Amino acid sequence: MATPTVTRLVLRSAYNPRNLAGFIKFYSSQAPSYEFIKVEKAGEKKNVGLITLNRPKALNALCDKLVTEINDALKSFDKDETVGAIVLTGSEKAFAAGADIKEMANNTFSQNIQGQFLVGWDGVSRTTKPVIAAVNGYALGGGCEVAMMCDIIYAGDKARFAQPEVTIGTIPGAGGTQRLTRAVGKSKAMEIVLTGNQITAEEAEKAGLVSKVFPADKVVDEAIKLGEKISSHSQLTVAMAKDAVNTAYETTLQQGLNYEKKMFWGTFATADQKEGMSAFAEKRKPNFKNE
């Protein structure tokens, strides 16, 4: 509900176009209010979007509202021209300790089909800009699946990854059996999925699930630094490169090679390719315009 001061401002603005324009600009610039996440811009140039899961009492368990808020924040950063990359993190205790079991325990098969349960969980994977997961503590079940939806995973040295759904009579439903197999291979994925056992950050790095491991109190900062490095490049070119890598992940080698070649050719239609190559020849830093 608007305060009396804001209400009076709106009423005055109705009779003063200059005031109204200023009010609209001020009001529209305010960040949305979320219940289960914190959102800010990070990095020296504030060019990295930072989303922090903030449901501590439930170890950041992924309820519907939390997932909806993540998707909303991702869409906002995706549209923000000042942001070149996004970091998704939780707390030192838990990135996300799985889906909210209480929310799904009484679901029926027909309800899942009719309600398309978990279908809306893929917002991370549909984000155009690179998303970096900075994982500390538990990344279990849905938490591990959300981390795998990200483009890069950095882990704290105390992080733990698992798909423990089999221990409660179900299986992964948001990509756990699919993305994990592609990341670590069939044998390791089978071991993780069929036992429900947790693996350490070091094991995850060795298996190829995680890019790098850092001390727990450094991993978010390191993810932001990575985001800053990515943000220094052309957003347009980065998006094309991300798309090409994802195509390699999802198609045959020959299909991927053909797609890569077309995307490579396509970069020559951009102003940023001309600027990048000119800057290289002139031994100066490029000034990308994302065009």
Side-chain angles (χ1 to χ4, degrees):
M1 182 177 291
T3 65
T5 301
V6 173
T7 302
R8 286 196 296 272
L9 178 57
V10 173
L11 290 174
R12 286 201 303 271
S13 297
Y15 299 97
N16 189 329
R18 190 173 299 172
N19 282 353
L20 179 59
F23 174 75
I24 291 173
K25 183 178 180 181
F26 170 81
Y27 192 82
S28 63
S29 69
Q30 303 309 295
S33 177
Y34 295 113
E35 182 179 357
F36 294 131
I37 63 173
K38 295 178 180 178
V39 176
E40 59 187 298
K41 291 182 183 179
E44 233 175 80
K45 297 180 180 180
K46 302 297 180 186
N47 55 2
V48 178
L50 178 60
I51 302 171
T52 305
L53 309 190
N54 186 37
R55 199 184 175 207
K57 291 182 179 178
L59 295 178
N60 293 330
L62 299 165
C63 61
D64 280 345
K65 186 169 185 181
L66 174 52
V67 173
T68 298
E69 289 183 354
I70 293 171
N71 289 344
D72 184 74
L74 287 169
K75 287 177 183 176
S76 294
F77 280 138
D78 225 9
K79 295 175 183 176
D80 190 334
E81 294 180 358
T82 68
V83 171
I86 303 163
V87 172
L88 181 64
T89 191
S91 66
E92 282 202 22
K93 194 170 185 180
F95 176 75
D100 193 325
I101 304 302
K102 293 179 182 178
E103 201 172 67
M104 70 171 76
N106 294 320
N107 282 14
T108 66
F109 178 55
S110 61
Q111 284 175 334
N112 287 340
I113 291 177
Q114 292 168 4
Q116 292 290 282
F117 186 51
L118 299 186
V119 167
W121 279 45
D122 62 350
V124 177
S125 61
R126 288 187 283 105
T127 303
T128 302
K129 293 174 182 175
V131 183
I132 305 157
V135 177
N136 267 321
Y138 298 114
L140 312 179
C144 186
E145 289 171 313
V146 168
M148 290 190 291
M149 291 179 198
C150 297
D151 301 299
I152 300 167
I153 303 176
Y154 274 8
D157 53 6
K158 299 295 191 296
R160 296 291 183 272
F161 298 84
Q163 296 293 158
E165 289 86 352
V166 69
T167 67
I168 57 171
T170 187
I171 70 169
T177 63
Q178 304 302 302
R179 289 189 173 93
L180 187 62
T181 305
R182 286 166 171 77
V184 305
K186 178 183 175 183
S187 180
K188 192 66 176 177
M190 282 288 192
E191 181 185 2
I192 293 169
V193 171
L194 300 186
T195 64
N197 290 346
Q198 296 178 18
I199 62 171
T200 66
E202 288 75 15
E203 288 176 295
E205 182 184 24
K206 184 178 179 181
L209 179 61
V210 164
S211 292
K212 291 181 181 178
V213 177
F214 299 94
D217 61 346
K218 302 291 185 185
V219 65
V220 175
D221 289 340
E222 292 295 335
I224 290 170
K225 287 180 187 177
L226 177 63
E228 288 182 287
K229 175 65 175 177
I230 293 170
S231 297
S232 71
H233 305 309
S234 161
Q235 290 183 24
L236 181 59
T237 307
V238 165
M240 294 171 79
K242 171 178 171 173
D243 194 24
V245 173
N246 278 332
T247 299
Y249 187 71
E250 296 167 0
T251 63
T252 66
L253 175 60
Q254 194 56 54
Q255 288 172 322
L257 288 170
N258 289 336
Y259 188 79
E260 178 193 71
K261 194 73 69 182
K262 290 173 183 176
M263 293 296 277
F264 167 69
W265 292 338
T267 63
F268 286 79
T270 69
D272 283 346
Q273 173 269 327
K274 301 294 183 290
E275 168 61 14
M277 291 191 177
S278 295
F280 178 81
E282 296 164 13
K283 298 182 179 179
R284 61 174 174 83
K285 186 177 179 179
N287 180 27
F288 293 122
K289 299 291 181 63
N290 304 322
E291 297 175 349

